[in-house]
Amino acid sequence: MLPLIPWEISNKAIRIYFISLALVSVAFFSHVMNFQFIIIGIFFVLSFFNRSQQLSLTWSYLSPQAFSNSLLKKAFWIRVAWVIFSYFFYLINTGEPFEWGAGDSMGYHYEAEWLAYSDWGFAFQYWGSLSGVSDIGYVFYLTTLYKIYGSNIIITRLIKAFLSAYTCVLVYRLSRRTFGERTGRLAAIFSMLMPNLIIYCGLHLKETEMLFCVMMFLERTDFLLRSNQHSFKNILVPSLFALSLFYFRTVLGVIAIISFFVAIKFSPTFVSSDRKVSLYLWIVIFLAIFASGTILHEVEGYWKARVIAQDLKRQEQTSRGARWAKYATGTVMAPMAFVVPFSTMIDTGQENQNVMHSGNFIKNFLGIFSLFALYYTIKSKRFRNFSLIGTFTVLYLGVVSFSGFANAERFHLPALPCILMISAYGLSFLNARNYKYVDYWFIVVVLMEVSWAYFKLGSRGIA
């Protein structure tokens, strides 16, 4: 089992990135990406592949506790550096410390700022008047912070940096119990260096906090299922984090509960039958008490509107010029769920996607190892041991694939830590016999990025 990403793979990944970037830039020179985005992408790609290889080797001698401490510190300072840089980067480029087209992030900020100067009674009355609950959790969180220290953007994002860094520790704990120590360390290092997870710390969006809640739910649930200590606290913590997801993105809460049930059902023998029954009963009682009528109504609404929403999204994209978007249906996108979103290496007026293009490229490149993990898991019939991670990832990606946001990077983000864990696990199966498929995949990745650039321009009637 490989304890690290080989130098050969790292070097080829970097070369594939430069080849893809060069081909896209030359082929679509009139829409070449802004130079500042190219520099950011190069920095992140070099950092991810070089440092993941180096750290997986140098940190392999650390004890688990020392590794966790080093991981937390390094991940935090990486994110602090980005928070400070991005604050001034956005200020220079947009005139405000927010990203391009910052509708949601500025909306969250100003709503929380307004509520912070009101009493809690008014705030809860306001939230109670809303038709849905999906964003209430994040606005409540921001309002609480703003009531403590004022609407300071930098401090809020530094807190995001810590939560994101601690998320990497949760990835380590979960993946080491599931896949083993070596894979756990590699997955944690991947998470620490993953550009998308870093970049969101500099945005006033809910994704960083939402990811923290997702990983707290998964890690604490896994701990519960593998532990003989089924105390009230050990059951309550994952249940509360599952509930919190309803207040960030409703579908995540639903998938968390389903994953909990599936994990209990398929857990190996370390969970006895009577304990499984008690956990089932706890979940049912918990949902009956805490799942309000508003939540249930919203879940029902999402389910009924799922097909209509997808069709409307396609029509909206087509009407504004994205005439090829109608072909990106769930049937087409679902098989690619572990690989997409593709990397936007051209200028189509989507500056935020240009900033994150390196992270999407890394996910595209690691896709072969996710496929390895799925193949060897099915072949060896080991699904029971990591049914929690697998169920959550597959269900969420399935929902996104059949929505109108099948290639939207932001909607794929909640599954990203799990995909990094799965990719690290898949890398452990790399050997002389299957390495040829990795070489084939390098060609596929280049074709992906060039084809995606052509698709994006063509769907707008430009190419």
Side-chain angles (χ1 to χ4, degrees):
M1 179 174 290
L2 290 175
L4 48 80
I5 182 169
W7 270 118
E8 185 179 359
I9 298 293
S10 296
N11 291 337
K12 284 188 176 181
I14 293 170
R15 290 200 297 270
I16 292 300
Y17 170 74
F18 279 108
I19 291 171
S20 300
L21 182 61
L23 287 175
V24 169
S25 299
V26 171
F28 309 103
F29 188 74
S30 59
H31 297 277
V32 68
M33 189 164 53
N34 191 294
F35 186 69
Q36 62 184 348
F37 302 136
I38 294 176
I39 294 299
I40 291 173
I42 291 173
F43 172 79
F44 274 128
V45 168
L46 291 176
S47 299
F48 182 88
F49 288 107
N50 283 332
R51 296 298 290 163
S52 62
Q53 201 286 331
Q54 294 169 2
L55 291 175
S56 58
L57 179 62
T58 57
W59 284 1
S60 63
Y61 304 101
L62 298 177
S63 67
Q65 186 59 52
F67 177 85
S68 293
N69 293 339
S70 298
L71 176 71
L72 180 62
K73 291 176 184 177
K74 195 169 189 68
F76 175 67
W77 287 115
I78 289 172
R79 284 152 176 76
V80 168
W82 175 260
V83 164
I84 296 172
F85 167 78
S86 64
Y87 182 90
F88 294 102
F89 175 73
Y90 290 129
L91 195 62
I92 292 170
N93 281 276
T94 69
E96 297 179 290
F98 294 93
E99 71 278 13
W100 289 264
D104 286 350
S105 55
M106 291 182 71
Y108 295 141
H109 170 67
Y110 289 126
E111 184 179 349
E113 189 177 43
W114 165 57
L115 292 172
Y117 290 99
S118 307
D119 58 55
W120 281 115
F122 174 80
F124 284 111
Q125 183 179 16
Y126 165 72
W127 290 324
S129 67
L130 300 178
S131 58
V133 300
S134 287
D135 287 333
I136 289 177
Y138 183 59
V139 177
F140 171 77
Y141 163 81
L142 279 185
T143 302
T144 303
L145 294 183
Y146 288 179
K147 280 182 176 290
I148 295 172
Y149 56 73
S151 54
N152 189 297
I153 291 174
I154 284 285
I155 295 178
T156 303
R157 292 178 183 175
L158 290 176
I159 294 174
K160 287 176 179 286
F162 176 78
L163 292 177
S164 181
Y166 196 77
T167 299
C168 298
V169 176
L170 296 174
V171 167
Y172 169 57
R173 292 177 181 174
L174 176 58
S175 54
R176 72 181 288 221
R177 286 198 299 263
T178 306
F179 303 118
E181 182 68 34
R182 291 179 173 181
T183 298
R185 295 191 178 203
L186 187 57
I189 292 170
F190 280 173
S191 299
M192 179 183 74
L193 298 170
M194 186 64 184
N196 300 49
L197 301 182
I198 297 170
I199 291 169
Y200 271 96
C201 295
L203 304 177
H204 242 60
L205 295 169
K206 63 183 177 180
E207 269 66 23
T208 296
E209 289 78 6
M210 186 167 65
L211 270 178
F212 173 76
C213 291
V214 167
M215 290 310 304
M216 280 295 295
F217 160 74
L218 291 173
E219 194 276 330
R220 286 294 85 190
T221 299
D222 182 78
F223 174 81
L224 171 66
L225 295 177
R226 296 175 189 273
S227 172
N228 290 323
Q229 302 175 1
H230 289 182
S231 63
F232 177 78
K233 176 185 175 182
N234 287 343
I235 299 176
L236 180 65
V237 171
S239 301
L240 288 176
F241 276 102
L243 178 66
S244 73
L245 293 175
F246 284 96
Y247 293 91
F248 279 88
R249 188 171 292 162
T250 307
V251 68
L252 275 175
V254 175
I255 291 171
I257 297 301
I258 295 174
S259 301
F260 207 155
F261 268 98
V262 173
I264 296 172
K265 171 66 177 176
F266 291 101
S267 291
T269 55
F270 45 66
V271 181
S272 61
S273 297
D274 59 330
R275 290 187 183 275
K276 288 184 179 182
V277 172
S278 66
L279 289 175
Y280 281 134
L281 290 175
W282 168 262
I283 296 174
V284 172
I285 294 171
F286 179 82
L287 287 175
I289 294 174
F290 291 101
S292 67
T294 304
I295 292 176
L296 295 178
H297 178 74
E298 188 168 347
V299 171
E300 183 182 5
Y302 274 121
W303 176 253
K304 289 181 178 179
R306 68 195 188 282
V307 177
I308 297 174
Q310 185 182 22
D311 290 341
L312 289 175
K313 179 68 176 178
R314 307 286 177 230
Q315 292 172 16
E316 184 268 334
Q317 289 174 324
T318 304
S319 66
R320 59 181 170 84
R323 53 190 172 85
W324 292 358
K326 61 184 178 180
Y327 299 112
T329 62
T331 305
V332 174
M333 299 304 294
M336 300 186 288
F338 281 83
V339 178
V340 295
F342 300 119
S343 181
T344 300
M345 297 181 175
I346 50 171
D347 179 13
T348 57
Q350 296 174 299
E351 293 87 353
N352 297 318
Q353 288 305 304
N354 290 152
V355 172
M356 295 191 187
H357 81 270
S358 58
N360 291 345
F361 169 82
I362 290 168
K363 185 183 177 186
N364 299 157
F365 184 87
L366 294 177
I368 184 62
F369 302 114
S370 295
L371 298 178
F372 274 4
L374 295 174
Y375 172 76
Y376 287 109
T377 296
I378 295 171
K379 183 178 179 180
S380 60
K381 300 179 181 179
R382 296 178 182 176
F383 177 76
R384 293 174 65 88
N385 190 46
F386 44 94
S387 56
L388 178 65
I389 296 174
T391 302
F392 180 86
T393 306
V394 171
L395 281 180
Y396 183 75
L397 292 178
V399 170
V400 172
S401 296
F402 284 90
S403 72
F405 306 95
N407 195 61
E409 180 275 334
R410 186 178 171 189
F411 284 85
H412 278 265
L413 195 72
L416 183 56
C418 292
I419 290 177
L420 292 175
M421 287 187 271
I422 292 170
S423 296
Y425 179 59
L427 188 62
S428 68
F429 291 103
L430 186 63
N431 55 45
R433 293 191 304 275
N434 59 30
Y435 190 85
K436 62 181 179 180
Y437 298 111
V438 178
D439 278 336
Y440 297 151
W441 186 256
F442 295 157
I443 301 172
V444 172
V445 171
V446 174
L447 293 175
M448 279 182 193
E449 312 309 358
V450 176
S451 299
W452 180 241
Y454 180 72
F455 179 89
K456 295 210 77 169
L457 294 176
S459 67
R460 288 162 173 77
I462 300 173

